[in-house]
Amino acid sequence: MEAVSTALPDADSGEEAGTGELPETPTLGQVLLAVEELWPESLAEDWDEVGLVVGRPTASITKVLFAVDPTLEVIDEAIEWGAGLLITHHPLLLKGVNSVAATSAKGLAVHRLIEAGTGLLTVHTNGDSAVGGVSDVLADAMGLENVAPLTPASNGLPEEGIGRVGELPELMTLGDFAARVFEMLPAVAGGVRVAGDKDGLVRRVAVCGGAGDSLFDAVRASQADVYVTADMRHHPASEAREGAVNGRPYLIDVSHWASEWLWLPAAAEALGNVLADQGHEVEIRVSTTNSDPWDFILTPG
């Protein structure tokens, strides 16, 4: 995704339309307020660590890069582009640490960010749960209607929560639906794995971006015909197959990174709109780095 400016220029004066004032460069603190408006930290799961990891709230921000993972390659991309802020879905420091020495990968990441003056912000399960979040974007891409949370948020609106469940406009075979999922996601080595009758009919779909095999109770309660998520482990998937009723829910296992990457362009656009409405001018770009950890796969035949 190419960088886009949030400025709203007036055709005659070059000033921001409707205000008579030139757009301003926001501080990191002002960007944080915009992020909180879109993805409130109160929506994050209790075990999660979201929010500002590196950065001074008083720093001026002219460029923001969105990415799934705060890997060293992504951090280098942000620094080389001149981003003042890197917003990632996954946390860099989810578990407690007692050192950020540059002798470890995470310590080196912190050093590179600070030395370059690049902030790091995590929008994780709050980005999953919020309206327009990861699973909402997936549901939209699949063409689902009458969408509702798979597990409603305890501290949010009725339409907020982890995962989504909805209905396709018409019946599809599992094979055709799996092909739709495959085609809408970024290409990765692992592809898409499917469990179920290829010719079986599906209409009600449950989806959870990222690792979602802990949600099978909610999936069964939703009466979904098929469940799409990532990182399905052997035992939860096997038990779900054993306990299936008439073979359902069928399972579609996708790349963790790919399932969450789809959210990035939508998130970048949403943040750009909020900042523009507040009179700020920022360039926002989505990372071009594929941080899926797998390089190739061997299959029978």
Side-chain angles (χ1 to χ4, degrees):
M1 177 180 178
E2 295 183 356
V4 294
S5 173
T6 63
L8 301 174
D10 181 86
D12 297 323
S13 66
E15 296 178 346
E16 188 180 353
T19 68
E21 298 179 358
L22 290 172
E24 298 179 349
T25 298
T27 63
L28 174 55
Q30 289 171 318
V31 175
L32 294 179
L33 290 176
V35 168
E36 178 67 14
E37 181 177 327
L38 291 166
W39 310 292
E41 290 192 16
S42 61
L43 289 177
E45 298 294 295
D46 292 340
W47 53 264
D48 201 8
E49 296 293 340
V50 302
L52 190 63
V53 181
V54 171
R56 292 182 183 273
T58 55
S60 295
I61 302 297
T62 60
K63 294 181 177 181
V64 176
L65 183 73
F66 273 84
V68 174
D69 298 294
T71 62
L72 292 172
E73 186 177 359
V74 168
I75 289 170
D76 284 345
E77 179 187 358
I79 293 171
E80 289 171 7
W81 182 51
L85 178 63
L86 171 61
I87 300 178
T88 62
H89 185 55
H90 290 149
L92 176 67
L93 304 174
L94 182 58
K95 298 180 180 179
V97 298
N98 54 26
S99 171
V100 289
T103 52
S104 69
K106 290 185 182 294
L108 182 57
V110 172
H111 277 259
R112 285 186 182 174
L113 289 163
I114 292 175
E115 290 164 359
T118 300
L120 175 63
L121 176 66
T122 301
V123 178
H124 194 208
T125 51
N126 48 331
D128 290 320
S129 187
V131 173
V134 173
S135 293
D136 262 341
V137 171
L138 284 169
D140 287 345
M142 294 173 187
L144 301 188
E145 301 172 340
N146 304 316
V147 175
L150 191 57
T151 57
S154 57
N155 297 314
L157 301 171
E159 59 267 32
E160 294 176 322
I162 300 298
R164 295 292 186 267
V165 61
E167 296 177 349
L168 294 165
E170 56 188 17
L171 285 169
M172 296 183 69
T173 66
L174 177 62
D176 287 343
F177 178 69
R180 174 181 292 186
V181 172
F182 175 81
E183 291 168 358
M184 77 185 199
L185 294 174
V188 294
V192 170
R193 300 188 299 179
V194 185
D197 179 3
K198 184 177 181 180
D199 296 321
L201 297 178
V202 299
R203 185 162 193 179
R204 190 160 175 81
V205 179
V207 59
C208 179
D213 67 11
S214 64
L215 302 178
F216 276 122
D217 287 344
V219 173
R220 284 186 284 268
S222 75
Q223 298 184 322
D225 297 312
V226 59
Y227 181 38
V228 183
T229 191
D231 291 348
M232 284 200 207
R233 295 165 295 170
H234 174 85
H235 292 294
S238 179
E239 290 168 5
R241 294 297 308 278
E242 290 291 304
V245 178
N246 296 323
R248 295 171 175 80
Y250 301 133
L251 308 178
I252 298 181
D253 183 35
V254 301
S255 157
H256 192 128
W257 173 81
S259 73
E260 294 173 330
W261 186 92
L262 281 188
W263 172 71
L264 300 182
E269 182 179 5
L271 180 60
N273 289 338
V274 171
L275 289 172
D277 288 344
Q278 295 173 352
H280 298 307
E281 182 175 9
V282 181
E283 285 186 277
I284 303 177
R285 175 183 289 180
V286 170
S287 169
T288 59
T289 300
N290 180 341
S291 55
D292 185 272
W294 305 108
D295 294 315
F296 63 92
I297 188 171
L298 306 179
T299 59

